[in-house]
Amino acid sequence: MSNKVKHWEKTRGLLFVTLAIWFVFSIGIFFFGTEMEASSFRPFGYPLSYYMTCQGSLLAFVILNFWFAGRQEKIDEEFGFTEREDS
């Protein structure tokens, strides 16, 4: 296989893993909102499900973006497609 095909296979695998994590934090969390609503823990008067779905998912997306960029950079370097300039 050529370098481009191997690079695309690894990139596609990373993409599917990233999409699966994104799905869990964007849609999967909401399926358990009612169970978290029953919790008696209410920081600042709001139910725990509010923080988990609204605030927690946003934090997860930011972390996911940085994680994806770092992993993609490693894949690019492995196959010689890096955008960094050597000094």
Side-chain angles (χ1 to χ4, degrees):
M1 273 193 272
S2 71
N3 233 10
K4 288 182 181 181
V5 173
K6 290 178 187 177
H7 178 265
W8 174 240
E9 283 183 1
K10 276 202 162 184
T11 299
R12 188 176 53 206
L14 176 63
L15 176 68
F16 288 140
V17 168
T18 304
L19 286 175
I21 295 170
W22 171 82
F23 179 81
V24 167
F25 282 101
S26 65
I27 296 173
I29 291 286
F30 291 100
F31 290 130
F32 300 104
T34 55
E35 285 84 7
M36 289 187 289
E37 186 78 33
S39 172
S40 62
F41 181 64
R42 294 182 176 270
F44 302 112
Y46 291 100
L48 181 61
S49 61
Y50 171 77
Y51 290 105
M52 293 298 289
T53 55
C54 296
Q55 307 301 324
S57 62
L58 289 175
L59 179 63
F61 294 147
V62 169
I63 292 170
L64 184 63
N65 281 329
F66 282 105
W67 176 79
F68 178 82
R71 295 287 300 186
Q72 185 63 50
E73 185 65 32
K74 287 180 184 178
I75 292 172
D76 291 346
E77 286 177 358
E78 180 182 342
F79 292 100
F81 295 113
T82 186
E83 294 180 3
R84 291 185 184 167
E85 295 182 17
D86 293 333
S87 299

